[in-house]
Amino acid sequence: METRMVMQREKEENLSKMSHGMEMSSQATKRTFTSSDEEAPYSDYYPIIPANLMSVKEILNMDNLPRHRTWEILKETMAADEEYHRDKWTLFGNEVEKVEIDVIRNQQALRTRPDIMGLRKQAEQKARDHMRYLERLSQKAPDFPIPLRAHTVWEGMTVKLSCTVQGCPTPKVTWYKNGVLLRMSEQPWNYSLTQKFGLNSLEIRRCSSEDAGEYKVIAKSALGEAMTYATLVVNSYEGAMAGSEHSRTSTLPLKEEAHFGTTFPPTWVKEGESMTLQCTFTSGLLPFQQDVSWFRDGVQLHQSSTVDIKTMENKASITLMAAYKEHEGLYTARLKTYDGVQDSSAYVYVTDASAAVVGGPASPLCVQVSDINKDYVFLTWQPPSADGASPVEGYYVERCDLSQGKWVRCNVHTQKMCYYPVFGLKEGAMYRFRVRAVNKAGAGRPSKATKPIVTADPLEQNRTMVVKVDRGRKITITKDELEGQIKNPSPPTNVHACEVSDTFVVLSWTEPEPRGKEPLTFYVERSLTGKSSWELASLDMVVNSPRFPVFDLVKGKQYNFRVRSINKFGVSDPSEPSMPISLGKPQEVPAPPQSVMAIRDTDTSVLLQWKEPKEKDDILGYYLYCNETGTQEWKIVNNKPVKGTRFTAHGLKTGKEYMFRLKSVSRAGNSVYSNVSLPIVVKSALYVPSAPSAIALLLCTGSEMVLGWRAPAYNGGDPVRGYYLEKREKGMTTWKEVNIKPVNERKIKVSNLTSGSLYQFRVFAANVVGVGNPSEASEAFLCEKWTMPEPGCPYDLELREVRDNSLVLLWQAPLYEGRGPVTGYLLEISQGYQSDNWTALNDKPISGTHYKVSGLQAGQTYRLRVLAVNEAGVGSASLPSESVTAQTCPGAKDIEIGVDDDGFIYLGYESDEIRDGSQMLWNKNYREPIDAERAQVQTTNDRSVLTFTDPSEEDLGLYTVAMSDNPNVSSSYDFTAEDLERLKELSWQVRNPLIALKSDWQVEVSETGSVRLWLQTESLSDAAELRLIFNDKEISSTPRRKINFDKAKGLVEILIDQLSLEDEGSYTAQLKDGRAKNQFTLVFVDKKFRDTLALADSNRRDHQRKSGPYFQEFLSWSVNEDCELIIKCKVTNTTKDTSLRWFKEGVEVIQAVYDRASGVSSLTIPQVTKKEVGSYRAVVSDGRGEDVSTLELLGGEYDKLLQQLSKQCALSAGPLRIQGTAEGLKLYCLLKYYVSYLKAIWYFKEKRIDQENRTKTGSSLQNIWIEILNPTESDKGGYTLEMFDGEETHKRHLDLSGQAFADALLEHQRLKQAAIAERNQAKVTKGLPDVVAIMEGKSLCLTCFIDGEPAPEVFWLRNDKEINNQGQFVITKEPKCSTITVNDVNTENSGKYSIYVRNKFGSETVDVTVSVYKHGEKPPANAVEMGL
């Protein structure tokens, strides 16, 4: 209730202040003036007001108004068209008249007003100079003329502590309570601080015992420091002094603010993929902390369609929907705190996506659009870091009109520089742009597209003015309305080059003034400098904006340009020519940076520094590249140019050696590589340790205190060598050393203390680099002898073996045991960074000083503490351990147990974290040292081994290992009795080894009939020994039975040239090699022996057969993919005299082919028929002997052949096809060829098709078909052809419906009509001879037989002209025949004669050549002689 009243009172005060501020602001008026050094706006001098709103005619007639060419033109125009425009001039009443008069009055005043602003600036400057002079004269160190005084008040009262401070410059005043900085934001409802005219007051409302204490004020300035303090005593109404336990009143505790817990590390993301960065907090965010800000390279990021920012109770994240190279940089999460802000930063690297073409370059970046006009923009970009397989040759610029959604290339030829003018755009359209790099492999990936831009006139806003009138109304005035009467345009001015490169020039000019209301376009003309002839530079291009790029200039020549304005009324005069303009010199790529130096940073990063080149004006940044020593690959470090001369490269491998080099980046491209840095091994740099923490009082005797503390969180890369302690009495500011020499343990005894006094302590850690920062001051410990019965707090809590679901906690027993010895310990756990909700881990006390905590949640953060127990009860809790996240570190390993090569039992541990100078500390039960007589420790590289001398039950127990300078690298193993028994047996086997057997006794029979008995063991030394025992007798090598012993291979073999019955029995090989030995027995009797003997005899006989040519492969048959029968054999051991002959049924087959080189002979039968049945025999022979192979292709073997042939034919069958015929639809399947053994069955809609009137099936050599006669709609459906080869069924299916059926039916109808037409077509059935010879004077008779329905018409032609039936020519026509008779032929009747027949189904022409020869001449040899 009290707090609510205080808040209500503050709310009323704030409302009062706000209302007072509003009253003051409403009374103040602000006047603005324009000084002479400021450019006055256009409207201040020349009012631009439309004619339909107010009378401009009166303004134009005023003599004292400054004139402008616009007004002169308007006046002339109005005089000429006064009668036409008289009705359009309207006066809008008194309100508009007021505006008109005010405008005129203000313009007149502006011309005569003195330069008030300039005078004011001079006066203010003089005043500042005078004040600085007075300050220098009055400088004084801080002082308190009126110091603080002590107060004693009752609870619930309000007290004000006041003091005055003086000094020049004004000192900074800071308030402290009990030595701690007083934060007003912690209890704004309780504290109120005011500072006015040197009076500093602290008002404390409703005092409680918590407000009692010592208040101190410190004033600081550059000249010194002053301090004053006083004590506040708060009495309770019960009469107790402040500080008594009975007088304490409950106050509203200030919630603990959140801090960063786990933060995001350096991150790599592939171009175009999404990325999320996340950080967690130690507790829930307070209301004022909810707004977590994100920054990239210092620029704040906001929520958008491509950026998703989320803040939850205890974590915050940012997600980029698609990462591009422009998004690479240093990302920072910023959290508000009571003292300001807290940042967490990490670098994000964007790697190249896969190349668009093999060997192609990476994508450019940072495409920027500038100088936006109606039809023109200017683009700039940055080159990529990766050239690809060849250097970048140039760039392609692409644009996308968002109304069309299509990317179009802007330049035909590659642009070498990283800038380009884009011309010919549509006014008012929305565009995006992107760039591709090009090398010999082709165009690479496109860059990130620009944001959409709208092409428009950039000066449009300057031609518009808004005038405010009474009652909030506005009048919009544009130049276009005033210049509406301008017809013929004026020429542009100030023609010059705004962009110059070695390939193009961009011209710029100023539009004419006045411009007129009508839209303007421009003509650009050019001339060589010194010439008087001008040519059109813009040709057929429409220039809408005052920008025009010119690409076709000749290098080394100078040009002048001029521009004409154009509107619908005409073309202006040309502008003044520009100054001479020429192409610029090619921009050179920059020089590379120098003096590249790599410096140790962390275990995975290196700090790089370099010097910039001398010419650095055009450099945009630098690309970095790294190489792991021993490899040939140079990797890209960054894909966004780095500015400055230092950068930290992350993601390196710990302990590996790297080299670095750089490139300078400019618009002209990337430089060559810099010199390579010296190799550097990636390891953490050495720093002083961080500050220790958690100082605890472990024991107090009244004059001595024993203190303990927590080790630094970071040792600086070198083990902590010792600690220094300082002390001070409470209220004092001076710290005093406790120990001159460093202490190695994390505890110390402080002597010579005053009983009853309060002391504070702080600790420093030191390593080889130096002494680190001090810890925070401990709480004030009262020096008073401990007499409580409960034990003190345990101390020195350590965390080991942190895994996803478990960890091990170690601690030291309390130094103060209380009334009795400590009997056990209780453990408590808290989830979160700063949570005070503690949960017991064990119900019953444990006796040891270590405990394995299980059942943790992976990724959660925990704190632990320990309480000691004795007979009197539970003592105070230890300070909480450091916060730890349950997470297995990458590469974490466990202790392994085994037996080494010498038979010793060992415990081994490997870790990649072991560094130079690190020690692996082995202990038993975490604390007990290892007895050197029972075990020895040896550490080499990244492996540490604990080897037992002679393990026994005394050595059983829990063994632990930890790195000396990184206890997080740790593990443990419980050495049990089962392990001891198992490993002792294995140790005995190692110390008393058996020769290992690779292959037991084997029996082999060679092709010649000899027998080999052999076995193989592991490799043996040269000192190995062998004894062979046969039927209890040792044997040695003889000519008939040779014994071989290959020690290197461990091979023992017995070679028997000709096996006999006397070789039956058991064979034993006894081997010995140093300590190792073994023996192996072969029982070679009974069936095994008899089978071997028979095989040896058979091979011996076969070997004798193979003394001459013989068949390596006997006759066999196969069917290939072409359904051909192949019968082949293979012979070997042949000579040039060897012959190979084939026979079938005793008749030699000469079609067989024999290849002497390979020994293969084959007979190919393309098509199998009944005549292939029979017995085949092949004979190979020469002077050394002969061999015969026989193949009986009869009965079942022939049936098997047909089945395989049918299968192969069915496999060769293609898909079912449909064909329209004159009779109907034909479904068919093509094969290599068809055999009758292959049974073919047709199905329609899964029902077998039997032979019927409307279907007809058949087959040919390479075809199986079914024909559907006179098809109808009912024939639609699925057709299946089943081919059975005797074993398997092969199917082909066709769905005869839809378009396939319609097309086939249409083809059938067409062919049917074609068949009818062909059958009834007019034709000549018996034609004429090709050449006819006849003697002059005779009669020629040519007769043709014709056919066709209906009866065809008949025409006779001579030399393609119709012959009439008259005179010399007589034509007879009958239904099936026609004759032409030529009477009394002469030479003029020679030529080509034709008969032409036709009816409605077609026509046909038959030609004959008639040759007339004279008496005495011989007819042509190839002619048929005729004549009556």
Side-chain angles (χ1 to χ4, degrees):
M1 185 64 184
E2 295 171 352
T3 304
R4 188 182 305 166
M5 292 176 63
V6 172
M7 299 299 290
Q8 180 66 26
R9 185 172 60 186
E10 288 188 352
K11 184 176 181 181
E12 294 175 355
E13 292 177 358
N14 292 335
L15 290 174
S16 177
K17 291 180 181 179
M18 291 174 61
S19 62
H20 177 69
M22 294 175 62
E23 294 174 0
M24 295 296 293
S25 63
S26 64
Q27 297 172 3
T29 59
K30 186 175 182 181
R31 302 182 64 189
T32 59
F33 301 89
T34 302
S35 63
S36 59
D37 56 353
E38 295 178 341
E39 183 180 354
Y42 188 86
S43 59
D44 285 349
Y45 295 99
Y46 311 116
I48 305 173
I49 302 174
N52 61 347
L53 296 182
M54 61 184 299
S55 176
V56 183
K57 185 176 180 181
E58 296 178 8
I59 300 175
L60 296 176
N61 291 331
M62 294 181 64
D63 297 332
N64 57 349
L65 187 66
R67 299 302 181 190
H68 187 270
R69 186 168 179 267
T70 303
W71 303 117
E72 297 297 334
I73 295 173
L74 285 174
K75 188 173 181 181
E76 294 173 1
T77 305
M78 290 176 62
D81 301 331
E82 183 175 1
E83 183 176 355
Y84 175 79
H85 292 282
R86 184 170 299 155
D87 295 336
K88 292 189 177 180
W89 297 95
T90 305
L91 188 61
F92 270 46
N94 295 334
E95 185 176 74
V96 179
E97 287 182 355
K98 288 181 181 179
V99 175
E100 179 180 2
I101 295 171
D102 289 340
V103 170
I104 297 171
R105 184 185 297 115
N106 290 338
Q107 292 185 359
Q108 292 174 342
L110 285 172
R111 303 302 295 172
T112 57
R113 182 180 299 159
D115 194 353
I116 298 175
M117 183 63 74
L119 295 175
R120 177 178 295 176
K121 286 185 177 179
Q122 294 179 7
E124 289 176 352
Q125 183 64 37
K126 289 183 178 180
R128 286 194 294 268
D129 295 342
H130 184 66
M131 289 299 297
R132 283 196 293 268
Y133 175 74
L134 293 179
E135 287 175 1
R136 287 195 296 270
L137 292 178
S138 60
Q139 283 187 347
K140 180 181 178 183
D143 185 26
F144 289 96
I146 301 177
L148 290 176
R149 66 179 182 86
H151 288 72
T152 301
V153 296
W154 291 96
E155 283 185 328
M157 294 179 62
T158 298
V159 65
K160 181 178 288 188
L161 304 178
S162 301
C163 63
T164 58
V165 62
Q166 63 183 13
C168 187
T170 303
K172 179 182 179 182
V173 177
T174 309
W175 287 76
Y176 294 85
K177 176 187 174 184
N178 295 330
V180 179
L181 179 65
L182 191 62
R183 297 188 181 96
M184 300 300 114
S185 59
E186 291 183 352
Q187 293 179 315
W189 60 87
N190 195 32
Y191 294 103
S192 176
L193 179 64
T194 59
Q195 296 181 354
K196 190 174 182 181
F197 305 115
L199 177 64
N200 292 264
S201 300
L202 174 64
E203 183 180 12
I204 306 174
R205 307 181 188 93
R206 300 187 61 82
C207 290
S208 66
S209 58
E210 297 293 334
D211 299 315
E214 181 185 80
Y215 289 81
K216 178 173 62 176
V217 181
I218 297 178
K220 291 182 180 180
S221 73
L223 301 179
E225 177 182 321
M227 178 179 64
T228 179
Y229 59 90
T231 302
L232 174 63
V233 178
V234 181
N235 291 330
S236 67
Y237 290 102
E238 284 78 8
M241 296 293 292
S244 171
E245 295 180 0
H246 302 287
S247 66
R248 298 186 182 272
T249 57
S250 62
T251 61
L252 185 63
L254 186 65
K255 290 186 177 180
E256 185 71 23
E257 65 180 356
H259 296 277
F260 283 108
T262 58
T263 58
F264 50 92
T267 305
W268 286 260
V269 59
K270 183 176 287 189
E271 182 182 9
E273 296 181 356
S274 63
M275 175 201 69
T276 299
L277 303 178
Q278 179 175 293
C279 56
T280 62
F281 307 107
T282 55
S283 60
L285 296 175
L286 298 181
F288 79 95
Q289 295 182 303
Q290 293 294 327
D291 185 16
V292 178
S293 303
W294 290 87
F295 298 83
R296 178 173 62 237
D297 295 333
V299 179
Q300 186 171 0
L301 303 175
H302 300 280
Q303 182 79 21
S304 68
S305 59
T306 59
V307 179
D308 184 22
I309 298 177
K310 294 181 180 178
T311 303
M312 287 161 278
E313 181 179 359
N314 62 345
K315 62 183 177 181
S317 66
I318 183 172
T319 299
L320 300 184
M321 305 307 176
Y324 293 94
K325 297 179 182 179
E326 291 84 350
H327 300 148
E328 182 172 297
L330 184 67
Y331 282 72
T332 302
R334 179 165 293 173
L335 176 68
K336 295 179 181 178
T337 62
Y338 289 128
D339 297 329
V341 295
Q342 184 180 4
D343 290 345
S344 174
S345 301
Y347 205 88
V348 172
Y349 298 85
V350 180
T351 60
D352 286 314
S354 56
V357 294
V358 177
S363 59
L365 66 155
C366 297
V367 182
Q368 301 291 334
V369 185
S370 60
D371 198 9
I372 302 173
N373 278 269
K374 294 180 182 179
D375 58 356
Y376 165 91
V377 297
F378 193 76
L379 296 182
T380 59
W381 60 89
Q382 295 179 3
S385 59
D387 290 346
S390 61
V392 171
E393 299 175 350
Y395 302 90
Y396 284 138
V397 178
E398 297 177 348
R399 71 172 183 264
C400 176
D401 187 343
L402 297 188
S403 64
Q404 299 177 357
K406 182 179 179 181
W407 287 96
V408 179
R409 186 180 297 174
C410 300
N411 54 323
V412 177
H413 304 290
T414 57
Q415 169 66 16
K416 293 185 178 180
M417 300 299 168
C418 295
Y419 47 80
Y420 186 76
V422 181
F423 184 73
L425 305 178
K426 294 187 296 184
E427 182 179 0
M430 188 174 291
Y431 288 95
R432 299 182 75 186
F433 299 89
R434 67 186 187 186
V435 181
R436 294 176 185 264
V438 182
N439 66 3
K440 291 182 179 179
R445 293 179 60 87
S447 67
K448 177 180 178 290
T450 64
K451 293 182 179 179
I453 62 101
V454 178
T455 53
D457 185 358
L459 300 177
E460 187 66 28
Q461 294 182 352
N462 296 338
R463 299 178 59 82
T464 305
M465 182 181 71
V466 177
V467 178
K468 295 182 180 179
V469 296
D470 292 344
R471 300 177 184 177
R473 289 180 293 175
K474 298 179 181 179
I475 299 175
T476 302
I477 306 168
T478 65
K479 281 188 178 182
D480 290 345
E481 293 173 345
L482 290 176
E483 299 173 357
Q485 305 306 316
I486 304 298
K487 292 185 178 181
N488 294 330
S490 302
T493 58
N494 189 25
V495 180
H496 64 284
C498 62
E499 300 287 346
V500 178
S501 78
D502 62 326
T503 57
F504 65 85
V505 169
V506 179
L507 299 177
S508 175
W509 56 87
T510 304
E511 293 183 344
E513 184 68 33
R515 186 179 70 176
K517 185 176 182 180
E518 298 300 331
L520 277 182
T521 58
F522 304 94
Y523 283 159
V524 180
E525 299 175 347
R526 70 181 176 190
S527 172
L528 286 171
T529 301
K531 303 290 185 179
S532 59
S533 60
W534 293 85
E535 64 180 5
L536 193 62
S538 55
L539 296 177
D540 57 347
M541 292 179 285
V542 179
V543 182
N544 292 322
S545 59
R547 298 288 188 278
F548 182 70
V550 184
F551 290 92
D552 58 345
L553 300 183
V554 179
K555 292 185 179 181
K557 292 186 178 182
Q558 291 187 330
Y559 297 83
N560 296 99
F561 293 88
R562 66 185 187 185
V563 184
R564 296 176 186 264
S565 303
I566 311 165
N567 64 10
K568 71 176 184 179
F569 297 109
V571 181
S572 73
D573 295 332
S575 67
E576 291 294 327
S578 67
M579 297 296 290
I581 297 173
S582 62
L583 294 176
K585 295 181 179 180
Q587 185 178 349
E588 296 182 356
V589 296
Q594 304 170 356
S595 305
V596 182
M597 180 171 59
I599 304 171
R600 285 171 55 181
D601 184 51
T602 69
D603 287 341
T604 57
S605 64
V606 166
L607 174 63
L608 297 173
Q609 293 181 343
W610 59 89
K611 289 183 180 179
E612 294 181 318
K614 294 181 180 179
E615 300 294 334
K616 60 180 181 180
D617 294 338
D618 296 331
I619 292 179
L620 304 175
Y622 303 93
Y623 285 132
L624 288 73
Y625 305 84
C626 68
N627 167 255
E628 185 179 340
T629 304
T631 64
Q632 300 299 322
E633 180 183 7
W634 282 89
K635 296 182 179 179
I636 299 171
V637 175
N638 62 310
N639 264 320
K640 182 179 178 182
V642 174
K643 298 180 180 179
T645 58
R646 55 189 291 138
F647 183 77
T648 302
H650 301 91
L652 307 178
K653 298 178 182 178
T654 305
K656 299 295 184 180
E657 188 177 67
Y658 286 85
M659 296 183 294
F660 297 87
R661 63 186 183 186
L662 286 80
K663 281 184 178 181
S664 301
V665 184
S666 74
R667 301 286 183 205
N670 298 334
S671 71
V672 298
Y673 289 108
S674 68
N675 293 331
V676 178
S677 68
L678 293 176
I680 184 172
V681 177
V682 179
K683 59 174 66 174
S684 177
L686 298 181
Y687 302 95
V688 295
S690 60
S693 59
I695 302 176
L697 179 61
L698 306 180
L699 178 64
C700 183
T701 63
S703 61
E704 295 178 339
M705 288 183 179
V706 178
L707 301 169
W709 55 86
R710 187 186 297 153
Y714 175 61
N715 61 14
D718 184 74
V720 175
R721 308 299 175 92
Y723 297 92
Y724 296 92
L725 186 72
E726 290 183 346
K727 68 177 181 180
R728 71 177 180 187
E729 292 190 35
K730 182 181 178 183
M732 303 300 291
T733 59
T734 304
W735 290 92
K736 298 181 180 179
E737 288 185 344
V738 173
N739 58 314
I740 299 176
K741 294 183 178 181
V743 294
N744 296 325
E745 296 183 345
R746 289 191 296 277
K747 67 177 181 178
I748 189 173
K749 181 187 290 185
V750 184
S751 304
N752 302 322
L753 301 178
T754 303
S755 180
S757 297
L758 293 171
Y759 291 92
Q760 288 181 295
F761 302 90
R762 66 180 185 182
V763 186
F764 300 79
N767 62 6
V768 69
V769 178
V771 180
N773 294 325
S775 65
E776 293 185 1
S778 69
E779 63 176 292
F781 297 129
L782 178 63
C783 185
E784 185 177 41
K785 184 176 181 180
W786 285 3
T787 58
M788 63 273 195
E790 296 84 4
C793 63
Y795 68 99
D796 200 12
L797 274 64
E798 292 185 36
L799 297 169
R800 301 279 183 87
E801 304 173 41
V802 179
R803 301 294 187 264
D804 285 341
N805 54 10
S806 66
L807 58 83
V808 175
L809 178 67
L810 282 69
W811 64 89
Q812 295 285 357
L815 301 180
Y816 179 76
E817 295 185 343
R819 184 165 42 183
V822 174
T823 57
Y825 299 93
L826 297 175
L827 281 79
E828 294 180 342
I829 189 170
S830 171
Q831 186 170 337
Y833 288 93
Q834 301 293 335
S835 174
D836 289 329
N837 297 324
W838 295 94
T839 305
L841 282 175
N842 54 326
D843 298 330
K844 296 182 180 180
I846 60 173
S847 57
T849 57
H850 65 270
Y851 184 80
K852 185 171 183 178
V853 183
S854 303
L856 303 180
Q857 297 180 15
Q860 292 294 330
T861 303
Y862 299 92
R863 293 190 304 159
L864 298 102
R865 66 182 185 184
V866 184
L867 303 90
V869 181
N870 66 4
E871 62 181 11
V874 180
S876 58
S878 66
L879 289 176
S881 67
E882 292 179 316
S883 299
V884 60
T885 301
Q887 185 175 6
T888 303
C889 295
K893 298 180 181 179
D894 295 326
I895 294 176
E896 62 176 13
I897 189 169
V899 176
D900 61 16
D901 294 339
D902 295 325
F904 290 98
I905 299 175
Y906 71 89
L907 296 174
Y909 181 74
E910 291 184 2
S911 174
D912 297 335
E913 300 289 332
I914 300 179
R915 308 180 185 90
D916 297 339
S918 300
Q919 294 182 354
M920 300 305 296
L921 305 178
W922 289 85
N923 294 93
K924 192 173 182 182
N925 296 324
Y926 291 99
R927 301 292 187 187
E928 301 175 16
I930 301 298
D931 187 352
E933 295 183 357
R934 304 198 62 83
Q936 293 80 36
V937 177
Q938 184 177 7
T939 302
T940 56
N941 298 328
D942 57 353
R943 180 175 175 83
S944 181
V945 178
L946 175 69
T947 305
F948 295 96
T949 305
D950 186 13
S952 63
E953 293 184 356
E954 186 179 347
D955 296 301
L956 302 180
L958 183 66
Y959 287 84
T960 61
V961 62
M963 189 186 296
S964 59
D965 55 351
N966 187 5
N968 293 328
V969 180
S970 57
S971 185
S972 63
Y973 187 85
D974 190 8
F975 189 16
T976 62
E978 290 78 4
D979 292 330
L980 180 62
E981 181 179 358
R982 174 175 59 84
L983 294 175
K984 273 193 170 183
E985 180 180 355
L986 181 59
S987 175
W988 185 90
Q989 294 176 0
V990 172
R991 294 179 179 179
N992 302 277
L994 292 175
I995 296 176
L997 182 66
K998 285 187 176 181
S999 179
D1000 205 351
W1001 280 107
Q1002 301 291 328
V1003 179
E1004 295 179 353
V1005 179
S1006 69
E1007 294 180 353
T1008 61
S1010 61
V1011 177
R1012 176 176 177 249
L1013 311 178
W1014 64 276
L1015 65 85
Q1016 187 175 13
T1017 67
E1018 61 185 347
S1019 179
L1020 304 175
S1021 67
D1022 293 338
E1025 300 176 2
L1026 168 66
R1027 290 184 65 213
L1028 270 176
I1029 308 298
F1030 173 60
N1031 293 338
D1032 299 329
K1033 293 182 180 180
E1034 184 174 355
I1035 60 175
S1036 59
S1037 183
T1038 63
R1040 193 183 71 85
R1041 185 169 53 195
K1042 296 180 180 178
I1043 300 174
N1044 296 327
F1045 182 28
D1046 189 337
K1047 300 176 182 179
K1049 296 181 180 180
L1051 183 64
V1052 178
E1053 61 180 1
I1054 304 173
L1055 302 178
I1056 303 175
D1057 184 47
Q1058 186 170 351
L1059 190 67
S1060 61
L1061 293 175
E1062 62 184 35
D1063 295 313
E1064 184 177 7
S1066 64
Y1067 295 81
T1068 301
Q1070 297 179 348
L1071 294 169
K1072 182 178 181 182
D1073 189 6
R1075 293 183 302 174
K1077 56 185 177 180
N1078 211 337
Q1079 71 176 25
F1080 311 96
T1081 300
L1082 169 65
V1083 179
F1084 194 32
V1085 296
D1086 298 335
K1087 185 177 184 301
K1088 184 174 184 179
F1089 177 78
R1090 290 193 299 272
D1091 291 344
T1092 304
L1093 181 60
L1095 180 59
D1097 292 340
S1098 175
N1099 287 358
R1100 191 178 303 110
R1101 289 192 299 269
D1102 191 49
H1103 175 67
Q1104 292 174 356
R1105 177 181 68 86
K1106 294 179 180 179
S1107 59
Y1110 65 92
F1111 285 94
Q1112 186 177 0
E1113 296 177 7
F1114 293 100
L1115 284 176
S1116 62
W1117 62 266
S1118 63
V1119 179
N1120 62 14
E1121 294 181 354
D1122 294 329
C1123 302
E1124 296 175 332
L1125 173 61
I1126 309 295
I1127 304 175
K1128 68 176 182 178
C1129 61
K1130 185 177 181 180
V1131 297
T1132 188
N1133 196 24
T1134 60
T1135 66
K1136 63 180 180 178
D1137 298 327
T1138 302
S1139 65
L1140 178 62
R1141 302 172 66 191
W1142 286 65
F1143 299 90
K1144 179 189 176 188
E1145 302 296 342
V1147 179
E1148 186 174 359
V1149 179
I1150 61 175
Q1151 292 84 2
V1153 178
Y1154 173 43
D1155 183 7
R1156 289 185 177 275
S1158 62
V1160 176
S1161 179
S1162 62
L1163 174 63
T1164 302
I1165 301 173
Q1167 185 174 353
V1168 178
T1169 61
K1170 286 286 186 181
K1171 65 180 182 179
E1172 273 68 49
V1173 178
S1175 176
Y1176 294 82
R1177 187 166 63 94
V1179 180
V1180 59
S1181 63
D1182 59 16
R1184 297 170 295 166
E1186 72 173 17
D1187 196 9
V1188 179
S1189 176
T1190 303
L1191 173 63
E1192 299 293 337
L1193 204 57
L1194 300 168
E1197 190 69 16
Y1198 181 72
D1199 292 340
K1200 184 178 179 182
L1201 168 62
L1202 290 179
Q1203 189 275 325
Q1204 288 295 320
L1205 183 61
S1206 299
K1207 179 179 180 181
Q1208 198 63 43
C1209 291
L1211 291 175
S1212 70
L1216 285 182
R1217 300 180 182 180
I1218 182 172
Q1219 177 184 0
T1221 65
E1223 290 78 18
L1225 302 182
K1226 184 177 183 180
L1227 279 65
Y1228 65 96
C1229 177
L1230 297 178
L1231 306 89
K1232 292 294 183 180
Y1233 71 84
Y1234 173 73
V1235 293
S1236 59
Y1237 190 87
L1238 182 63
K1239 306 302 181 183
I1241 304 173
W1242 290 88
Y1243 292 86
F1244 173 59
K1245 296 181 180 179
E1246 300 182 357
K1247 182 178 179 181
R1248 181 170 178 172
I1249 301 175
D1250 296 323
Q1251 190 75 19
E1252 57 184 28
N1253 294 332
R1254 293 187 60 252
T1255 59
K1256 182 171 62 175
T1257 61
S1259 62
S1260 61
L1261 186 60
Q1262 295 180 333
N1263 199 343
I1264 303 176
W1265 52 266
I1266 182 173
E1267 190 166 12
I1268 305 169
L1269 305 178
N1270 300 319
T1272 63
E1273 290 291 328
S1274 61
D1275 295 316
K1276 287 184 178 180
Y1279 288 82
T1280 302
L1281 170 62
E1282 286 190 358
M1283 296 171 286
F1284 182 67
D1285 62 14
E1287 290 184 357
E1288 299 180 16
T1289 300
H1290 308 271
K1291 295 183 179 182
R1292 299 294 184 268
H1293 181 78
L1294 174 66
D1295 185 11
L1296 184 58
S1297 61
Q1299 190 62 36
F1301 180 81
D1303 293 344
L1305 186 61
L1306 184 63
E1307 178 68 9
H1308 157 65
Q1309 293 170 350
R1310 187 188 67 80
L1311 293 176
K1312 183 177 181 181
Q1313 294 297 326
I1316 295 173
E1318 183 180 1
R1319 185 168 58 250
N1320 297 325
Q1321 176 185 345
K1323 52 185 172 289
V1324 179
T1325 57
K1326 291 184 180 180
L1328 300 172
D1330 292 337
V1331 181
V1332 172
I1334 188 170
M1335 182 181 294
E1336 186 177 20
K1338 293 185 177 183
S1339 295
L1340 174 64
C1341 183
L1342 299 176
T1343 301
C1344 285
F1345 294 92
I1346 59 178
D1347 193 10
E1349 186 63 35
E1353 296 179 82
V1354 179
F1355 302 91
W1356 285 91
L1357 309 174
R1358 184 169 72 88
N1359 295 330
D1360 298 329
K1361 292 182 180 181
E1362 185 178 357
I1363 301 173
N1364 295 322
N1365 187 11
Q1366 59 184 1
Q1368 189 181 9
F1369 299 93
V1370 179
I1371 299 174
T1372 62
K1373 298 178 181 178
E1374 297 178 9
K1376 297 294 183 179
C1377 177
S1378 180
T1379 302
I1380 182 171
T1381 303
V1382 184
N1383 299 312
D1384 192 15
V1385 298
N1386 53 46
T1387 56
E1388 293 179 358
N1389 298 130
S1390 298
K1392 182 180 75 171
Y1393 287 78
S1394 304
I1395 183 171
Y1396 170 70
V1397 295
R1398 71 180 180 188
N1399 63 6
K1400 67 177 182 179
F1401 292 109
S1403 62
E1404 184 177 9
T1405 300
V1406 177
D1407 300 330
V1408 59
T1409 301
V1410 176
S1411 177
V1412 179
Y1413 62 94
K1414 296 181 179 182
H1415 294 280
E1417 294 180 355
K1418 290 184 179 181
N1422 61 339
V1424 177
E1425 188 173 358
M1426 299 182 67
L1428 298 177

